[in-house]
Structures are given as C-alpha cells and as structure tokens.
Amino acid sequence: MTMPPGKRTALERQRARERAARDAEVTRLHVRVRELEHTNEALGKAIGLLHLMSEQEPDAIPTRTDPSDSSTPITRSSSS
C-alpha cells in the first residue's frame, strides 16, 4: 500500500514530535531521580549524625547533694 508524500511527511512529523516528547520526559525523570538520590543521601547522613549525637549524650548526669561526697561529679545548672 502506498501513502501520498504529504501524508507520509505529516506522519513522520507526528512521530518526531512524539519521540521528542518521550525524550524530554525521560530527561525530566532522570533529573528527578538524581534529585531524589541526592535527597536520600542527605537524609541518610542526617540520620547518621543524629544517631551519633544520641550515642554521645549521657542518659542522665547524677547530681551530688552532699558536697563532701566526691564519688559523684558536681554538675552546674544551666541558669548560672
């Protein structure tokens, strides 16, 4: 079956537009994937830092009420 040259040209143009739209979408999605990978990496680092910080914090610092008792460290209140 033969196709008139005008119709063939129009069909080729339509396919070229569809291909360009698909290529643009693929490019957009690749950019989005990179953005999400960077976000995941940053969140992973932040979570790791939070874990490190929570490991380094003491659970509770005992306070000494008897000044002659040297077995427990003296702590200062944050208001001084």
Side-chain angles (χ1 to χ4, degrees):
M1 183 162 123
T2 60
M3 187 179 296
K7 191 170 185 175
R8 180 179 296 142
T9 303
L11 186 59
E12 288 172 355
R13 285 185 194 142
Q14 180 183 353
R15 286 184 179 165
R17 283 191 303 270
E18 290 170 354
R19 206 171 315 127
R22 272 194 314 271
D23 291 345
E25 179 70 3
V26 167
T27 300
R28 186 187 70 77
L29 292 173
H30 280 291
V31 169
R32 183 67 177 140
V33 165
R34 281 193 296 272
E35 289 172 354
L36 292 172
E37 287 172 342
H38 291 296
T39 300
N40 285 341
E41 184 179 333
L43 286 173
K45 288 178 182 180
I47 290 169
L49 287 173
L50 287 172
H51 283 296
L52 280 174
M53 290 172 58
S54 68
E55 289 172 0
Q56 293 174 356
E57 290 181 5
D59 291 337
I61 301 175
T63 57
R64 185 169 68 189
T65 56
D66 181 5
S68 64
D69 179 12
S70 61
S71 65
T72 308
I74 297 176
T75 61
R76 296 183 182 190
S77 67
S78 60
S79 61
S80 54

